[in-house]
Amino acid sequence: MKSKEICCIGAGYVGGPTMAVIAYNCPKYNITVVDSNKSRINQWNGPVENLPIYEPGLKEIISDVRDKNLVFSDKIEESIKKADIIFIAVNTPTKTDGKGRGMAADLTNVKKCAELIAKSSSSDKIIVEKSTAPVGTGEKIKTVLKSINSKNKFQVVSNPEFLAEGTAINDLMNPDRVLIGGEESREGFEAVNTIANIYKQWLPNNKIILTNLWSSELSKLASNAFLAQRISSINSLSALCEKTGAKINEVSKSVGMDSRIGSKFLQSSVGFGGSCFKKDILNLVYLCQYFNLPEVAEYWHNVLKINEYQKERFFDKIHKSLKDIKQPTVSLLGWAFKKNTNDSRESASIDIAKKLLENNYSVNVYDPMVNDKTIIDDLNNLSVLNLEKLNIFSTVEEAVQNSHAICILTEWDEFQSLDYTFLSKLMQEAILFLDGRNIIQKDRVAKIFENTQSIDT
Ligand code: NAD
Ligand code: UGA
C-alpha cells in the first residue's frame, strides 16, 4: 500500500498527541514516533498513567492504538528509511545566540532532521513541516534535502498545528481547520493531497484548507499573534478598569457579545504563558524587522510588552499589600501555564515566583500536575536567587499554612471549590487574596481576607 508508512520526528506535546489521533482515526496507516530523547520514548512506551505529557483523553487513545498502528521508537534512521511521509514536530525555540538572538526561531533541530532524512533515505518522501517555523523554512528544508541527497525526490509540505494544551485531543479530533500548504506545481499539489487524505479519514473536506507553502507558514504565526493580541488587549483594559471603577469581566462580556468580535480569549489574567505565544510573536517581529517593516514589528511587539507589564502589575499588588510584614510568605496556587496540562513553559507563575523570591519573600507553591523537579528547574533556568525560600507542597492546605497571601495563578477547576474560610484559618494572617485568573467571585472571599483583589481591582 502506498503512502501509508508515517514517521514523526519529535515525541513532544505536538508529536505524541497528533500521531495518536491520526493512528486512532486511520487504522490503515502505520505510524512510528521517534525522538532523540530516549527517556521520553521509554516513558511513551511505559504505563499510560505515566506518559511524558498530561492531556485529558490521551491515555485512553494511547491504550487503544499503541503497539497496533502506533509505535514509539528511538531508532530514528530506520524509521525514516521505511517511511513515505515524515512529519517534523521538533521544538523550534527562540535563538539564544548569533544573528537574531532573543527573537528569531532557532531552526537547528529542524535542520538536523532535514540532514538526517536526506542521509537516511533511499526512496522518495513527503516531508511535513509540523513545527511552527518562520516563513521560508519549507524552502530551507528543501535546499538541505537537495544538497545532500540528489537521488531521491522530496516534496516539502507545511501543515502547522493549532492544538492548545489541555484540550489537545478534542482540538485534534474536531479542529476548526487543518491547513496544508505546498509547492505550486503538479508534484506539490499531489503531496498536499496525500497529506489531506490523512485528515479526510475523519474530517469533512470543508475543514481542510489548501494554500501555498508561505501562506501556511505565515497563517500559523498570525493565528498565535491574534490570539495573544486579544489577551493583551483585555489585560491592558484591566489596568484602566482599576483606575475607573469599571469591571473587566463586565467589559469583556459586553465586548465579546458583539458577534463580530466574539467572546473567546477575552479572559483577563496575570498574563499569557505557554511555550509558543511569546516565541512565535518574537519570530513574527523579527521577520518584520528583517523585511524592513519597523512599524509592523513594533505593533506586534507591544502585545508582548503588555504581557510583561501585566505580570509586573501583579507583583506590585502583592508587594504593596505585604510591604509592612517582616517575613512575608505568599502561597501560589498553580504553576502550569493553564489548567489541564503539566506544562509550565513560560508560565506567569515562574516570573511571579522569581520576583517574590528576589524580594526576600518566602514562596509556597501548589500545583496538581507539575512536579517538584520541573518547578525547581524552571527557577534554576533563570538563575533565580533565594531558592531556599521556596517550598513546594502536595496539598493546598499545606501550601497556605502560615502564609499571608493566596494568589491564584492557574485556573485549575479545583481552586474554584476550595473552602477559603477554612484555608484562611490555616494562614498566619489572611492579608491578601489575589485572583490572577478572575475565577473566584469576589463576594465569596471579600469578608475572609483583609484585601481581596482580582487582576482588575
Ligand atoms: P516539545 O519540546 O514538547 O517536543 C519536541 C521534541 O522534539 C522533544 O522531545 C525533542 O527531544 C525532540 N527533538 C528535537 N530535535 C530532535 C531531533 N533532531 N531528532 C529527534 N528528536 C528531536 O515541543 P512541542 O511543544 O511538541 O512543539 C513542537 C513544535 O510544535 C514547535 O515548533 C511548537 O512551536 C509547535 N507547536 C506546539 C504546540 C503546543 O501546544 N506545544 C502547539 C502547536 C504548535
Ligand atoms: C496556543 C493556541 O491557542 C493554539 O492554537 C496554538 O496551537 C498553540 O498556542 C501553539 O502554537 O503552541 P496554548 O498555548 O497551548 O495554545 O494555550 P492557550 O489556550 O492558547 O493559552 C495560552 C495562554 O493564554 C495561557 O496562559 C492562558 O491562561 C492564557 N489565556 C488564554 C488568557 O490569559 N486569557 C484568555 O482569554 C485565554
Side-chain angles (χ1 to χ4, degrees):
M1 220 176 276
K2 202 75 198 103
S3 302
K4 295 280 161 76
E5 288 291 335
I6 296 178
C7 168
C8 173
I9 311 178
Y13 283 85
V14 168
T18 307
M19 293 304 126
V21 168
I22 293 181
Y24 180 82
N25 287 295
C26 310
K28 290 187 181 152
Y29 288 76
N30 294 318
I31 303 172
T32 308
V33 184
V34 294
D35 202 294
S36 49
N37 181 340
K38 287 191 183 173
S39 73
R40 213 167 203 189
I41 291 295
N42 289 341
Q43 242 184 308
W44 279 110
N45 282 322
V48 286
E49 282 66 38
N50 193 28
L51 295 174
I53 66 175
Y54 171 73
E55 273 296 335
L58 178 63
K59 68 174 187 212
E60 288 79 4
I61 293 205
I62 292 288
S63 306
D64 215 19
V65 293
R66 193 174 58 185
D67 299 329
K68 289 182 190 149
N69 64 332
L70 179 70
V71 169
F72 291 93
S73 164
D74 57 16
K75 298 195 173 75
I76 307 184
E77 279 108 325
E78 192 181 294
S79 310
I80 290 174
K81 208 176 177 62
K82 69 170 192 220
D84 308 303
I85 300 168
I86 300 173
F87 285 80
I88 300 179
V90 296
N91 41 327
T92 48
T94 305
K95 274 180 105 167
T96 51
D97 51 27
K99 198 170 168 238
R101 172 164 48 107
M103 299 210 88
D106 183 346
L107 296 177
T108 311
N109 292 336
V110 173
K111 206 171 149 233
K112 274 191 194 157
C113 292
E115 286 166 357
L116 197 62
I117 292 168
K119 285 181 194 151
S120 319
S121 295
S122 50
S123 61
D124 300 347
K125 296 182 195 303
I126 299 172
I127 314 304
V128 185
E129 182 192 344
K130 186 54 116 177
S131 299
T132 305
V135 187
T137 304
E139 280 297 330
K140 283 190 186 142
I141 296 175
K142 222 184 290 177
T143 309
V144 172
L145 291 166
K146 269 192 188 164
S147 70
I148 299 176
N149 181 332
S150 53
K151 285 197 190 121
N152 300 117
K153 287 195 187 117
F154 297 101
Q155 270 300 319
V156 180
V157 166
S158 158
N159 171 221
E161 186 46 62
F162 295 102
L163 69 80
E165 289 177 28
T167 53
I169 300 302
N170 188 47
D171 295 341
L172 289 161
M173 289 293 222
N174 309 293
D176 287 340
R177 79 300 206 188
V178 165
L179 181 54
I180 306 171
E183 189 184 278
E184 290 168 308
S185 64
R186 190 180 57 78
E187 294 86 351
F189 289 131
E190 272 173 20
V192 162
N193 277 321
T194 303
I195 303 308
N197 279 335
I198 298 175
Y199 293 100
K200 282 181 190 171
Q201 305 299 309
W202 77 99
L203 298 172
N205 284 355
N206 64 2
K207 288 224 172 181
I208 301 173
I209 308 173
L210 309 183
T211 68
N212 73 22
L213 205 49
W214 303 281
S215 303
S216 173
E217 290 172 331
L218 184 55
S219 301
K220 172 62 197 178
L221 294 185
S223 298
N224 274 359
F226 269 62
L227 290 168
Q229 180 204 42
R230 285 173 69 94
I231 303 168
S232 279
S233 297
I234 205 72
N235 282 346
S236 73
L237 292 175
S238 74
L240 188 57
C241 283
E242 291 177 20
K243 300 282 183 198
T244 58
K247 292 182 178 166
I248 195 64
N249 280 349
E250 293 176 357
V251 174
S252 166
K253 188 172 179 191
S254 313
V255 171
M257 280 180 77
D258 184 324
S259 60
R260 294 168 301 175
I261 297 172
S263 61
K264 292 181 181 165
F265 271 69
L266 290 180
Q267 177 72 39
S268 67
S269 67
V270 54
F272 58 74
S275 61
C276 294
F277 279 174
K278 183 174 170 191
K279 93 169 161 63
D280 292 348
I281 293 177
L282 283 171
N283 188 343
L284 182 64
V285 170
Y286 183 74
L287 270 178
C288 296
Q289 287 172 347
Y290 180 86
F291 287 106
N292 198 20
L293 299 168
E295 290 81 0
V296 187
E298 191 50 24
Y299 174 78
W300 289 110
H301 206 185
N302 281 323
V303 171
L304 293 178
K305 288 187 188 161
I306 289 289
N307 203 46
E308 291 308 311
Y309 167 72
Q310 194 73 345
K311 288 183 271 189
E312 275 156 29
R313 270 176 8 91
F314 194 86
F315 168 72
D316 289 345
K317 280 167 190 281
I318 302 172
H319 205 33
K320 224 167 151 189
S321 299
L322 302 187
K323 65 179 184 313
D324 297 331
I325 306 292
K326 277 233 169 74
Q327 288 178 325
T329 300
V330 176
S331 307
L332 303 183
L333 302 190
W335 192 263
F337 80 97
K338 63 184 283 198
K339 73 173 180 179
N340 294 337
T341 177
N342 62 346
D343 193 351
S344 61
R345 291 178 288 180
E346 299 291 339
S347 176
S349 309
I350 303 172
D351 283 352
I352 302 300
K354 178 180 191 304
K355 286 186 212 295
L356 287 167
L357 289 165
E358 295 190 339
N359 280 277
N360 268 318
Y361 286 77
S362 293
V363 175
N364 294 353
V365 177
Y366 166 78
D367 188 282
M369 275 295 161
V370 183
N371 63 40
D372 296 12
K373 181 181 179 308
T374 304
I375 296 173
I376 293 165
D377 286 351
D378 285 342
L379 294 167
N380 270 330
N381 289 342
L382 295 179
S383 310
V384 173
L385 306 173
N386 298 337
L387 269 193
E388 70 283 357
K389 295 193 130 203
L390 171 80
N391 288 296
I392 305 167
F393 296 95
S394 51
T395 66
V396 174
E397 289 74 15
E398 288 171 295
V400 303
Q401 193 90 42
N402 290 329
S403 75
H404 299 89
I406 290 180
C407 299
I408 294 187
L409 294 181
T410 311
E411 68 278 26
W412 286 104
D413 290 343
E414 67 181 73
F415 298 158
Q416 296 196 29
S417 51
L418 291 173
D419 180 348
Y420 287 105
T421 307
F422 169 70
L423 292 177
S424 69
K425 292 187 181 137
L426 302 175
M427 297 170 75
Q428 200 169 141
E429 266 182 280
I431 294 177
L432 174 68
F433 180 91
L434 184 46
D435 179 2
R437 295 286 166 181
N438 264 325
I439 57 168
I440 308 289
Q441 288 276 338
K442 250 176 275 170
D443 316 355
R444 236 186 87 199
V445 277
K447 292 201 186 94
I448 309 172
F449 294 85
E450 214 169 275
N451 184 355
T452 299
Q453 299 183 36
S454 54
I455 194 67
D456 73 322
T457 54

